[in-house]
PDB file of all heavy atoms in Angstrom:
ATOM      1  N   THR A   1    -387.488  61.754-142.531  1.00 95.00           N
ATOM      2  CA  THR A   1    -388.363  60.615-142.740  1.00 95.00           C
ATOM      3  C   THR A   1    -387.705  59.353-142.205  1.00 95.00           C
ATOM      4  O   THR A   1    -386.486  59.281-142.038  1.00 95.00           O
ATOM      5  CB  THR A   1    -388.687  60.443-144.223  1.00 95.00           C
ATOM      6  OG1 THR A   1    -387.465  60.350-144.971  1.00 95.00           O
ATOM      7  CG2 THR A   1    -389.486  61.631-144.740  1.00 95.00           C
ATOM      8  N   THR A   2    -388.520  58.354-141.952  1.00 96.00           N
ATOM      9  CA  THR A   2    -388.052  57.099-141.386  1.00 96.00           C
ATOM     10  C   THR A   2    -388.562  55.937-142.225  1.00 96.00           C
ATOM     11  O   THR A   2    -389.709  55.949-142.673  1.00 96.00           O
ATOM     12  CB  THR A   2    -388.540  56.941-139.937  1.00 96.00           C
ATOM     13  OG1 THR A   2    -388.057  58.032-139.148  1.00 96.00           O
ATOM     14  CG2 THR A   2    -388.030  55.634-139.335  1.00 96.00           C
ATOM     15  N   TYR A   3    -387.714  54.934-142.415  1.00 98.00           N
ATOM     16  CA  TYR A   3    -388.074  53.758-143.190  1.00 98.00           C
ATOM     17  C   TYR A   3    -387.704  52.495-142.438  1.00 98.00           C
ATOM     18  O   TYR A   3    -386.697  52.445-141.722  1.00 98.00           O
ATOM     19  CB  TYR A   3    -387.366  53.734-144.544  1.00 98.00           C
ATOM     20  CG  TYR A   3    -387.736  54.866-145.465  1.00 98.00           C
ATOM     21  CD1 TYR A   3    -386.992  56.036-145.481  1.00 98.00           C
ATOM     22  CD2 TYR A   3    -388.824  54.759-146.327  1.00 98.00           C
ATOM     23  CE1 TYR A   3    -387.330  57.085-146.328  1.00 98.00           C
ATOM     24  CE2 TYR A   3    -389.168  55.801-147.173  1.00 98.00           C
ATOM     25  CZ  TYR A   3    -388.420  56.955-147.173  1.00 98.00           C
ATOM     26  OH  TYR A   3    -388.758  57.985-148.017  1.00 98.00           O
ATOM     27  N   ALA A   4    -388.498  51.472-142.630  1.00 98.00           N
ATOM     28  CA  ALA A   4    -388.117  50.157-142.149  1.00 98.00           C
ATOM     29  C   ALA A   4    -386.895  49.691-142.926  1.00 98.00           C
ATOM     30  O   ALA A   4    -386.738  49.997-144.110  1.00 98.00           O
ATOM     31  CB  ALA A   4    -389.265  49.171-142.328  1.00 98.00           C
ATOM     32  N   ASP A   5    -386.031  48.944-142.262  1.00 98.00           N
ATOM     33  CA  ASP A   5    -384.817  48.473-142.919  1.00 98.00           C
ATOM     34  C   ASP A   5    -385.124  47.667-144.181  1.00 98.00           C
ATOM     35  O   ASP A   5    -384.371  47.717-145.159  1.00 98.00           O
ATOM     36  CB  ASP A   5    -383.989  47.620-141.958  1.00 98.00           C
ATOM     37  CG  ASP A   5    -383.338  48.444-140.868  1.00 98.00           C
ATOM     38  OD1 ASP A   5    -383.198  49.668-141.035  1.00 98.00           O
ATOM     39  OD2 ASP A   5    -382.961  47.851-139.835  1.00 98.00           O
ATOM     40  N   SER A   6    -386.216  46.944-144.166  1.00 97.00           N
ATOM     41  CA  SER A   6    -386.555  46.076-145.275  1.00 97.00           C
ATOM     42  C   SER A   6    -386.943  46.823-146.552  1.00 97.00           C
ATOM     43  O   SER A   6    -386.960  46.225-147.628  1.00 97.00           O
ATOM     44  CB  SER A   6    -387.695  45.134-144.873  1.00 97.00           C
ATOM     45  OG  SER A   6    -388.851  45.865-144.503  1.00 97.00           O
ATOM     46  N   VAL A   7    -387.259  48.116-146.444  1.00 98.00           N
ATOM     47  CA  VAL A   7    -387.697  48.865-147.617  1.00 98.00           C
ATOM     48  C   VAL A   7    -386.769  50.008-147.984  1.00 98.00           C
ATOM     49  O   VAL A   7    -386.997  50.688-148.996  1.00 98.00           O
ATOM     50  CB  VAL A   7    -389.127  49.411-147.436  1.00 98.00           C
ATOM     51  CG1 VAL A   7    -390.087  48.291-147.053  1.00 98.00           C
ATOM     52  CG2 VAL A   7    -389.160  50.525-146.398  1.00 98.00           C
ATOM     53  N   LYS A   8    -385.737  50.232-147.212  1.00 97.00           N
ATOM     54  CA  LYS A   8    -384.808  51.321-147.500  1.00 97.00           C
ATOM     55  C   LYS A   8    -384.185  51.152-148.876  1.00 97.00           C
ATOM     56  O   LYS A   8    -383.755  50.069-149.253  1.00 97.00           O
ATOM     57  CB  LYS A   8    -383.714  51.382-146.437  1.00 97.00           C
ATOM     58  CG  LYS A   8    -384.173  51.907-145.096  1.00 97.00           C
ATOM     59  CD  LYS A   8    -383.031  51.973-144.097  1.00 97.00           C
ATOM     60  CE  LYS A   8    -383.488  52.532-142.763  1.00 97.00           C
ATOM     61  NZ  LYS A   8    -382.398  52.540-141.765  1.00 97.00           N
ATOM     62  N   GLY A   9    -384.155  52.248-149.613  1.00 97.00           N
ATOM     63  CA  GLY A   9    -383.610  52.226-150.955  1.00 97.00           C
ATOM     64  C   GLY A   9    -384.602  51.835-152.012  1.00 97.00           C
ATOM     65  O   GLY A   9    -384.329  51.992-153.211  1.00 97.00           O
ATOM     66  N   ARG A  10    -385.770  51.334-151.618  1.00 98.00           N
ATOM     67  CA  ARG A  10    -386.790  50.913-152.571  1.00 98.00           C
ATOM     68  C   ARG A  10    -388.068  51.738-152.476  1.00 98.00           C
ATOM     69  O   ARG A  10    -388.715  51.985-153.482  1.00 98.00           O
ATOM     70  CB  ARG A  10    -387.134  49.430-152.366  1.00 98.00           C
ATOM     71  CG  ARG A  10    -385.952  48.494-152.556  1.00 98.00           C
ATOM     72  CD  ARG A  10    -386.385  47.032-152.527  1.00 98.00           C
ATOM     73  NE  ARG A  10    -386.956  46.654-151.236  1.00 98.00           N
ATOM     74  CZ  ARG A  10    -388.217  46.241-151.063  1.00 98.00           C
ATOM     75  NH1 ARG A  10    -389.030  46.152-152.117  1.00 98.00           N
ATOM     76  NH2 ARG A  10    -388.648  45.906-149.856  1.00 98.00           N
ATOM     77  N   PHE A  11    -388.427  52.139-151.267  1.00 98.00           N
ATOM     78  CA  PHE A  11    -389.647  52.905-151.042  1.00 98.00           C
ATOM     79  C   PHE A  11    -389.301  54.355-150.726  1.00 98.00           C
ATOM     80  O   PHE A  11    -388.268  54.638-150.106  1.00 98.00           O
ATOM     81  CB  PHE A  11    -390.444  52.343-149.868  1.00 98.00           C
ATOM     82  CG  PHE A  11    -391.070  50.994-150.106  1.00 98.00           C
ATOM     83  CD1 PHE A  11    -390.762  50.234-151.233  1.00 98.00           C
ATOM     84  CD2 PHE A  11    -391.977  50.484-149.190  1.00 98.00           C
ATOM     85  CE1 PHE A  11    -391.337  48.988-151.442  1.00 98.00           C
ATOM     86  CE2 PHE A  11    -392.560  49.244-149.390  1.00 98.00           C
ATOM     87  CZ  PHE A  11    -392.244  48.496-150.512  1.00 98.00           C
ATOM     88  N   THR A  12    -390.189  55.260-151.119  1.00 98.00           N
ATOM     89  CA  THR A  12    -390.026  56.669-150.824  1.00 98.00           C
ATOM     90  C   THR A  12    -391.344  57.252-150.353  1.00 98.00           C
ATOM     91  O   THR A  12    -392.363  57.115-151.034  1.00 98.00           O
ATOM     92  CB  THR A  12    -389.539  57.463-152.050  1.00 98.00           C
ATOM     93  OG1 THR A  12    -388.301  56.913-152.518  1.00 98.00           O
ATOM     94  CG2 THR A  12    -389.322  58.923-151.685  1.00 98.00           C
ATOM     95  N   ILE A  13    -391.326  57.893-149.204  1.00 97.00           N
ATOM     96  CA  ILE A  13    -392.521  58.546-148.686  1.00 97.00           C
ATOM     97  C   ILE A  13    -392.410  60.046-148.936  1.00 97.00           C
ATOM     98  O   ILE A  13    -391.327  60.625-148.835  1.00 97.00           O
ATOM     99  CB  ILE A  13    -392.720  58.251-147.183  1.00 97.00           C
ATOM    100  CG1 ILE A  13    -394.074  58.777-146.703  1.00 97.00           C
ATOM    101  CG2 ILE A  13    -391.586  58.827-146.345  1.00 97.00           C
ATOM    102  CD1 ILE A  13    -394.438  58.328-145.290  1.00 97.00           C
ATOM    103  N   SER A  14    -393.518  60.663-149.277  1.00 95.00           N
ATOM    104  CA  SER A  14    -393.538  62.098-149.509  1.00 95.00           C
ATOM    105  C   SER A  14    -394.893  62.659-149.108  1.00 95.00           C
ATOM    106  O   SER A  14    -395.883  61.926-149.027  1.00 95.00           O
ATOM    107  CB  SER A  14    -393.234  62.433-150.975  1.00 95.00           C
ATOM    108  OG  SER A  14    -394.192  61.840-151.840  1.00 95.00           O
ATOM    109  N   ARG A  15    -394.924  63.953-148.861  1.00 94.00           N
ATOM    110  CA  ARG A  15    -396.151  64.609-148.437  1.00 94.00           C
ATOM    111  C   ARG A  15    -396.450  65.820-149.290  1.00 94.00           C
ATOM    112  O   ARG A  15    -395.553  66.541-149.727  1.00 94.00           O
ATOM    113  CB  ARG A  15    -396.048  65.059-146.969  1.00 94.00           C
ATOM    114  CG  ARG A  15    -396.003  63.950-145.959  1.00 94.00           C
ATOM    115  CD  ARG A  15    -395.780  64.471-144.545  1.00 94.00           C
ATOM    116  NE  ARG A  15    -396.804  65.410-144.104  1.00 94.00           N
ATOM    117  CZ  ARG A  15    -396.994  65.779-142.844  1.00 94.00           C
ATOM    118  NH1 ARG A  15    -396.225  65.267-141.890  1.00 94.00           N
ATOM    119  NH2 ARG A  15    -397.927  66.662-142.537  1.00 94.00           N
ATOM    120  N   ASP A  16    -397.722  66.039-149.507  1.00 93.00           N
ATOM    121  CA  ASP A  16    -398.216  67.269-150.105  1.00 93.00           C
ATOM    122  C   ASP A  16    -399.133  67.875-149.059  1.00 93.00           C
ATOM    123  O   ASP A  16    -400.306  67.519-148.959  1.00 93.00           O
ATOM    124  CB  ASP A  16    -398.962  66.997-151.408  1.00 93.00           C
ATOM    125  CG  ASP A  16    -399.373  68.274-152.114  1.00 93.00           C
ATOM    126  OD1 ASP A  16    -399.595  69.299-151.450  1.00 93.00           O
ATOM    127  OD2 ASP A  16    -399.477  68.251-153.361  1.00 93.00           O
ATOM    128  N   ASN A  17    -398.594  68.762-148.268  1.00 91.00           N
ATOM    129  CA  ASN A  17    -399.350  69.298-147.145  1.00 91.00           C
ATOM    130  C   ASN A  17    -400.572  70.103-147.574  1.00 91.00           C
ATOM    131  O   ASN A  17    -401.589  70.110-146.882  1.00 91.00           O
ATOM    132  CB  ASN A  17    -398.437  70.156-146.267  1.00 91.00           C
ATOM    133  CG  ASN A  17    -397.392  69.330-145.543  1.00 91.00           C
ATOM    134  OD1 ASN A  17    -397.645  68.198-145.134  1.00 91.00           O
ATOM    135  ND2 ASN A  17    -396.202  69.898-145.374  1.00 91.00           N
ATOM    136  N   ALA A  18    -400.462  70.782-148.696  1.00 91.00           N
ATOM    137  CA  ALA A  18    -401.592  71.560-149.182  1.00 91.00           C
ATOM    138  C   ALA A  18    -402.782  70.662-149.499  1.00 91.00           C
ATOM    139  O   ALA A  18    -403.938  71.052-149.316  1.00 91.00           O
ATOM    140  CB  ALA A  18    -401.202  72.377-150.406  1.00 91.00           C
ATOM    141  N   LYS A  19    -402.505  69.460-149.993  1.00 94.00           N
ATOM    142  CA  LYS A  19    -403.553  68.508-150.328  1.00 94.00           C
ATOM    143  C   LYS A  19    -403.856  67.543-149.188  1.00 94.00           C
ATOM    144  O   LYS A  19    -404.738  66.698-149.333  1.00 94.00           O
ATOM    145  CB  LYS A  19    -403.162  67.711-151.573  1.00 94.00           C
ATOM    146  CG  LYS A  19    -403.016  68.543-152.829  1.00 94.00           C
ATOM    147  CD  LYS A  19    -402.655  67.658-154.015  1.00 94.00           C
ATOM    148  CE  LYS A  19    -402.538  68.471-155.287  1.00 94.00           C
ATOM    149  NZ  LYS A  19    -402.181  67.633-156.458  1.00 94.00           N
ATOM    150  N   LYS A  20    -403.123  67.663-148.084  1.00 94.00           N
ATOM    151  CA  LYS A  20    -403.269  66.753-146.945  1.00 94.00           C
ATOM    152  C   LYS A  20    -403.133  65.312-147.412  1.00 94.00           C
ATOM    153  O   LYS A  20    -403.910  64.427-147.035  1.00 94.00           O
ATOM    154  CB  LYS A  20    -404.610  66.976-146.236  1.00 94.00           C
ATOM    155  CG  LYS A  20    -404.758  68.355-145.627  1.00 94.00           C
ATOM    156  CD  LYS A  20    -406.092  68.495-144.898  1.00 94.00           C
ATOM    157  CE  LYS A  20    -406.234  69.850-144.227  1.00 94.00           C
ATOM    158  NZ  LYS A  20    -406.254  70.957-145.214  1.00 94.00           N
ATOM    159  N   THR A  21    -402.128  65.074-148.215  1.00 95.00           N
ATOM    160  CA  THR A  21    -401.919  63.776-148.834  1.00 95.00           C
ATOM    161  C   THR A  21    -400.498  63.282-148.594  1.00 95.00           C
ATOM    162  O   THR A  21    -399.550  64.061-148.639  1.00 95.00           O
ATOM    163  CB  THR A  21    -402.190  63.853-150.343  1.00 95.00           C
ATOM    164  OG1 THR A  21    -403.557  64.208-150.566  1.00 95.00           O
ATOM    165  CG2 THR A  21    -401.909  62.523-151.021  1.00 95.00           C
ATOM    166  N   VAL A  22    -400.374  61.996-148.360  1.00 96.00           N
ATOM    167  CA  VAL A  22    -399.076  61.348-148.246  1.00 96.00           C
ATOM    168  C   VAL A  22    -399.006  60.239-149.284  1.00 96.00           C
ATOM    169  O   VAL A  22    -400.003  59.555-149.545  1.00 96.00           O
ATOM    170  CB  VAL A  22    -398.840  60.803-146.816  1.00 96.00           C
ATOM    171  CG1 VAL A  22    -399.861  59.733-146.451  1.00 96.00           C
ATOM    172  CG2 VAL A  22    -397.418  60.270-146.678  1.00 96.00           C
ATOM    173  N   TYR A  23    -397.842  60.070-149.875  1.00 97.00           N
ATOM    174  CA  TYR A  23    -397.639  59.077-150.912  1.00 97.00           C
ATOM    175  C   TYR A  23    -396.577  58.075-150.474  1.00 97.00           C
ATOM    176  O   TYR A  23    -395.696  58.379-149.672  1.00 97.00           O
ATOM    177  CB  TYR A  23    -397.179  59.727-152.217  1.00 97.00           C
ATOM    178  CG  TYR A  23    -398.088  60.815-152.726  1.00 97.00           C
ATOM    179  CD1 TYR A  23    -397.843  62.151-152.411  1.00 97.00           C
ATOM    180  CD2 TYR A  23    -399.182  60.517-153.529  1.00 97.00           C
ATOM    181  CE1 TYR A  23    -398.665  63.158-152.877  1.00 97.00           C
ATOM    182  CE2 TYR A  23    -400.011  61.515-154.001  1.00 97.00           C
ATOM    183  CZ  TYR A  23    -399.747  62.835-153.675  1.00 97.00           C
ATOM    184  OH  TYR A  23    -400.578  63.828-154.147  1.00 97.00           O
ATOM    185  N   LEU A  24    -396.666  56.895-151.036  1.00 98.00           N
ATOM    186  CA  LEU A  24    -395.634  55.890-150.845  1.00 98.00           C
ATOM    187  C   LEU A  24    -395.299  55.317-152.213  1.00 98.00           C
ATOM    188  O   LEU A  24    -396.087  54.559-152.779  1.00 98.00           O
ATOM    189  CB  LEU A  24    -396.083  54.779-149.895  1.00 98.00           C
ATOM    190  CG  LEU A  24    -395.009  53.747-149.556  1.00 98.00           C
ATOM    191  CD1 LEU A  24    -393.884  54.388-148.739  1.00 98.00           C
ATOM    192  CD2 LEU A  24    -395.605  52.570-148.790  1.00 98.00           C
ATOM    193  N   GLN A  25    -394.154  55.709-152.742  1.00 98.00           N
ATOM    194  CA  GLN A  25    -393.676  55.163-154.001  1.00 98.00           C
ATOM    195  C   GLN A  25    -392.901  53.890-153.702  1.00 98.00           C
ATOM    196  O   GLN A  25    -391.907  53.923-152.982  1.00 98.00           O
ATOM    197  CB  GLN A  25    -392.779  56.173-154.719  1.00 98.00           C
ATOM    198  CG  GLN A  25    -392.210  55.676-156.033  1.00 98.00           C
ATOM    199  CD  GLN A  25    -393.271  55.439-157.079  1.00 98.00           C
ATOM    200  OE1 GLN A  25    -394.128  56.295-157.290  1.00 98.00           O
ATOM    201  NE2 GLN A  25    -393.222  54.287-157.738  1.00 98.00           N
TER     202      GLN A  25
END
């Protein structure tokens, strides 16, 4: 995964491929 420097350590991206869904915590 890739993050902008400004959000590293604070944001987390994840995927649920079965649901065709991506999340951003």
Side-chain angles (χ1 to χ4, degrees):
T1 55
T2 301
Y3 296 92
D5 288 340
S6 60
V7 307
K8 287 181 179 177
R10 300 188 297 118
F11 291 10
T12 302
I13 188 171
S14 60
R15 292 175 59 165
D16 185 331
N17 292 325
K19 296 181 179 180
K20 297 182 177 64
T21 298
V22 62
Y23 305 94
L24 185 67
Q25 179 65 48

